Amino acid sequence: MGYFGQGFDLITTKGLKRFVFIPLMINLVLFSAAFYFLLGEIQAGVDYLIGFIPDWLGWLKTSITFLLWPLAVISILLSFALMFGTLANWIAAPFNGLLAEKVERHLTGQSLGDDGVMAIIKDIPRTLGREITKLVYYLPRAIGFLLLFFFLPVIGQILWFLFGAWMMAIQYCDYPFDNHKVPFGEMRQRLGDRKGLSYSFGVAVNVMAMIPIVNFLVMPVAICGATAMWVNEYRSDVLSRR
């Protein structure tokens, strides 16, 4: 979890701030629009359910309203934070890879290759292809765990949270791995070999992604933290084997 905390320090580092801006703004716009829409849907759903209660049971309407709102908000935060985070990362993928590259250069003092706008444009097909690979891995598992979330009380929610933590680790650690052309399967295997490290990082990201306002910062912070984890825990071994 300390690596996620290190991400907060890195996003304020001189020379990295301008590369944080675009992922931050994409996250801000997308999450603001998503939660505005979802909160409106919560209100409509609560009003619909309350409409079945007779007026003479006004006290029951009030009690149920107070009960339904927190349950609905928690359910949405648990079930949709990962989905909107995935969408945000899809949109910002080329800029996320660039941020990971700049953080790695800052931490190691070594360049990974070309810089600038043309480098970003050139890498768009590859980065989007990588996002499709992650999406193919994510979707069937997300459907299965989401069904458990809705139909298996308590255990289903725990499993969804743990799945979300694993996906957060995959999503953000993939940027520095991908910058070195490490195949997705190898990256996933290496994260799986150190499950404690992966899950603790993913849990930190997952928890922060469910906190309104704080979740706006999650994307750039997680990229910086994951890159620091790559540099300290994986980089030397991976590059020496390649």
Side-chain angles (χ1 to χ4, degrees):
M1 293 185 181
Y3 283 115
F4 184 76
Q6 188 177 345
F8 280 100
D9 293 329
L10 287 168
I11 64 170
T12 62
T13 301
K14 184 178 179 181
L16 295 178
K17 293 179 183 178
R18 62 182 180 275
F19 300 105
V20 170
F21 179 75
I22 293 178
L24 179 61
M25 291 308 298
I26 290 173
N27 223 25
L28 179 63
V29 171
L30 186 62
F31 269 86
S32 296
F35 279 109
Y36 178 80
F37 170 77
L38 290 173
L39 288 175
E41 292 301 304
I42 289 176
Q43 183 62 62
V46 170
D47 291 342
Y48 175 78
L49 293 174
I50 294 300
F52 289 102
I53 301 175
D55 291 337
W56 59 273
L57 288 175
W59 62 271
L60 183 59
K61 285 188 175 185
T62 303
S63 300
I64 291 179
T65 299
F66 278 115
L67 178 64
L68 286 178
W69 258 99
L71 287 176
V73 170
I74 290 171
S75 295
I76 281 180
L77 290 174
L78 281 171
S79 58
F80 290 102
L82 177 58
M83 295 180 185
F84 286 121
T86 301
L87 178 58
N89 280 290
W90 177 278
I91 296 171
F95 304 101
N96 292 345
L98 179 62
L99 174 58
E101 178 183 334
K102 298 304 179 183
V103 171
E104 183 171 345
R105 172 185 283 189
H106 169 74
L107 294 174
T108 65
Q110 299 177 12
S111 174
L112 275 67
D114 296 334
D115 296 326
V117 176
M118 291 308 298
I120 297 176
I121 295 173
K122 184 178 68 176
D123 267 353
I124 285 177
R126 182 178 61 81
T127 55
L128 290 182
R130 188 76 166 210
E131 291 301 314
I132 291 174
T133 300
K134 284 186 277 190
L135 192 64
V136 170
Y137 175 82
Y138 163 75
L139 278 179
R141 292 166 177 79
I143 292 170
F145 282 108
L146 196 58
L147 290 174
L148 293 176
F149 175 89
F150 287 114
F151 296 109
L152 190 62
V154 182
I155 295 176
Q157 286 79 46
I158 293 173
L159 290 175
W160 174 263
F161 180 82
L162 292 175
F163 169 67
W166 171 244
M167 283 307 305
M168 290 295 186
I170 285 180
Q171 179 65 60
Y172 292 110
C173 290
D174 187 53
Y175 294 116
F177 275 90
D178 184 44
N179 282 340
H180 290 274
K181 311 299 189 296
V182 178
F184 180 74
E186 181 182 343
M187 181 274 300
R188 203 175 69 242
Q189 180 181 351
R190 287 184 176 275
L191 295 183
D193 289 341
R194 303 188 64 180
K195 288 186 173 66
L197 182 66
S198 302
Y199 272 100
S200 60
F201 177 80
V203 164
V205 178
N206 215 11
V207 169
M208 292 299 177
M210 294 187 294
I211 302 175
I213 300 177
V214 176
N215 54 23
F216 298 147
L217 295 170
V218 162
M219 184 193 294
V221 169
I223 293 167
C224 292
T227 305
M229 187 162 72
W230 150 262
V231 169
N232 292 335
E233 307 289 344
Y234 298 103
R235 185 178 188 272
S236 177
D237 182 54
V238 171
L239 296 187
S240 65
R241 291 174 182 272
R242 295 177 67 85

